[in-house]
Amino acid sequence: MKRKHSERLTVLLPAMALAILGACSAPNADVPQNAPNAATSAARPALTVEVTNPEPVAWSRSTPATGNVAAWQETIVGSEIGGLRIAQVHANVGDHVTKGQILVTLDDAVVQADLAQARAQLQEARAMHAEARANGDRARRFQPTGMMSEQQVTQYLTAEQTAKSRIELAAARVQLAELRVRQTRILAPDDALISGRAATVGTVPQAGQELYRLILQGRLEWRAEVAAEDIGEIRSGDAAKLKLAGGETVTGRVRSIAPSIDPQTRNGIVYVDLDQSGAKAGMFATGEITPVAQELAHALSLPQSAVLLRDGFSYVLRIGPDNKLAQVRVTPGRRRGDSVEILAGVAEGERFVRSGVGFLNDGDLVDIAAATPAASPQQ
């Protein structure tokens, strides 16, 4: 009996397992098989964004530039003679000097003695010339009579010419000594502003050694670096306005434009004469250059935050009628404050994402933020 009971269980167990598997695999009558998946059927907006529109603007045709303030012409003043002690120093750094003004006086005792010696030699040469001339005159009178030999006549006439040459030589030595005396007074070569001084009383400078550094006429210039694509629009006489590091604004005029472009920076140099101001040589300044006959350029602009730089190009995200984004490549131009001139790629009336463009991509769906109402004036 036990054997027959175990055989029955062996037959029933597989059948029961098949029944259970069939019940689990049967479709659920309570749930429809073709019900849509709500998570995949409805696209969700990526972000809520603010909208901006291209604004027409009228900007002056000015060219931005940066550069250093430098001396218009700087010269070094030194001694033309060496070995003389500095006796007096008459000017200091920051002084305005005029042409011919004495800057340094050297001790002239030695050169004054040389001058006295040269003058004495000149007097001696003149006396010797007087004697030689008298002998020459006598030789010329007696030469036709034969009372003097030809050799004696020649000697007297030669001595007269030699004495005359000695006078000229002595006179040249006097001039040289007088020049050395004048060189003991070191003068300003032109109206200038003293920017450096190395002269000190008691020192003995060598010939050519720097004693003063001068900014001729006190003129300063702005050596503005301008991009190669913009430098062709600049002309001599154009107005310039620059801002110094301390916040001071300085004006000037374009004097000349460099004929070459730096191959490394791709910038050209524009030389701007500065008006009288608090600018100092060596200062760095930023500014802009505006044509004298100024014309206004009409263009469209967008906020800087709406322009995305990606892969070396500029893009904006245009909002379509269905609030879907389209990435548009644009050509940016000049910048004024927070606005960027857009030369190509946008049109009036189109909508663009104002900010947060770095978090969005082409084809994203966005929500439009409600416009913030203007604050009502307080009563």
Side-chain angles (χ1 to χ4, degrees):
M1 293 296 292
K2 290 182 179 180
R3 184 177 181 179
K4 291 182 179 180
H5 182 68
S6 61
E7 291 177 353
R8 289 178 183 176
L9 289 175
T10 304
V11 175
L12 290 174
L13 285 174
M16 292 175 64
L18 292 174
I20 292 172
L21 289 173
C24 292
S25 62
N28 190 351
D30 296 333
V31 181
Q33 296 185 14
N34 57 354
N37 189 344
T40 59
S41 62
R44 300 181 61 183
L47 283 176
T48 300
V49 299
E50 295 181 357
V51 176
T52 185
N53 303 101
E55 297 182 357
V57 292
W59 286 349
S60 59
R61 296 183 180 275
S62 58
T63 302
T66 59
N68 294 321
V69 177
W72 166 64
Q73 287 184 4
E74 192 172 42
T75 186
I76 294 175
V77 176
S79 175
E80 297 181 66
I81 57 176
L84 299 181
R85 180 178 57 85
I86 295 179
Q88 288 181 311
V89 175
H90 301 278
N92 209 337
V93 175
D95 292 348
H96 288 269
V97 295
T98 58
K99 183 177 182 179
Q101 181 176 334
I102 298 177
L103 302 178
V104 172
T105 301
L106 302 177
D107 186 2
D108 62 352
V110 174
V111 292
Q112 288 287 0
D114 291 341
L115 176 59
Q117 183 180 7
R119 287 174 174 170
Q121 291 175 348
L122 177 59
Q123 294 298 328
E124 181 182 6
R126 286 173 176 170
M128 293 178 65
H129 176 259
E131 180 182 1
R133 186 176 57 183
N135 292 333
D137 292 340
R138 188 178 302 109
R140 281 187 287 270
R141 285 199 308 269
F142 290 109
Q143 183 178 11
T145 63
M147 297 178 63
M148 298 181 65
S149 65
E150 291 295 329
Q151 183 179 5
Q152 288 180 324
V153 171
T154 302
Q155 289 178 350
Y156 287 143
L157 295 179
T158 302
E160 181 182 6
Q161 293 297 326
T162 302
K164 183 178 180 181
S165 299
R166 287 175 179 173
I167 290 179
E168 295 176 353
L169 178 60
R173 288 175 178 172
V174 170
Q175 291 180 355
L176 179 60
E178 290 175 345
L179 176 61
R180 288 174 59 84
V181 170
R182 290 197 298 269
Q183 288 175 344
T184 60
R185 307 293 186 266
I186 301 175
L187 311 178
D190 198 353
D191 296 347
L193 173 66
I194 298 177
S195 59
R197 193 198 82 174
T200 305
V201 174
T203 59
V204 181
Q206 299 302 313
Q209 180 178 334
E210 177 181 338
L211 298 178
Y212 281 95
R213 190 176 293 266
L214 307 180
I215 299 176
L216 296 184
Q217 300 180 14
R219 288 172 55 182
L220 297 177
E221 66 181 11
W222 181 38
R223 297 175 183 175
E225 295 190 18
V226 179
E229 57 269 21
D230 297 330
I231 199 168
E233 301 178 2
I234 299 175
R235 300 289 183 271
S236 297
D238 287 351
K241 180 183 292 186
L242 56 150
K243 189 174 183 180
L244 303 178
E248 182 182 355
T249 300
V250 181
T251 59
R253 292 283 177 183
V254 174
R255 184 181 76 253
S256 62
I257 303 166
S260 60
I261 301 295
D262 190 327
Q264 301 297 326
T265 63
R266 299 297 179 187
N267 292 334
I269 303 296
V270 177
Y271 298 92
V272 178
D273 286 332
L274 299 181
D275 300 332
Q276 296 297 328
S277 63
K280 306 293 183 183
M283 283 184 170
F284 179 80
T286 60
E288 56 186 19
I289 300 172
T290 306
V292 176
Q294 186 178 133
E295 298 178 1
L296 297 181
H298 297 276
L300 295 176
S301 70
L302 284 173
Q304 176 69 48
S305 58
V307 181
L308 171 66
L309 185 62
R310 180 175 292 170
D311 300 328
F313 299 100
S314 297
Y315 298 92
V316 293
L317 296 176
R318 183 169 56 206
I319 305 174
D322 55 354
N323 289 354
K324 186 175 288 187
L325 301 182
Q327 182 174 279
V328 179
R329 181 176 167 180
V330 296
T331 304
R334 295 166 294 174
R335 286 170 169 79
R336 293 291 177 86
D338 295 331
S339 298
V340 181
E341 180 184 21
I342 305 300
L343 303 177
V346 303
E348 290 190 54
E350 293 181 330
R351 300 185 304 165
F352 297 91
V353 177
R354 183 180 186 87
S355 60
V357 292
F359 302 99
L360 299 169
N361 294 299
D362 187 28
D364 285 350
L365 186 67
V366 295
D367 277 339
I368 306 301
T372 304
S376 58
Q378 297 181 357
Q379 301 294 334

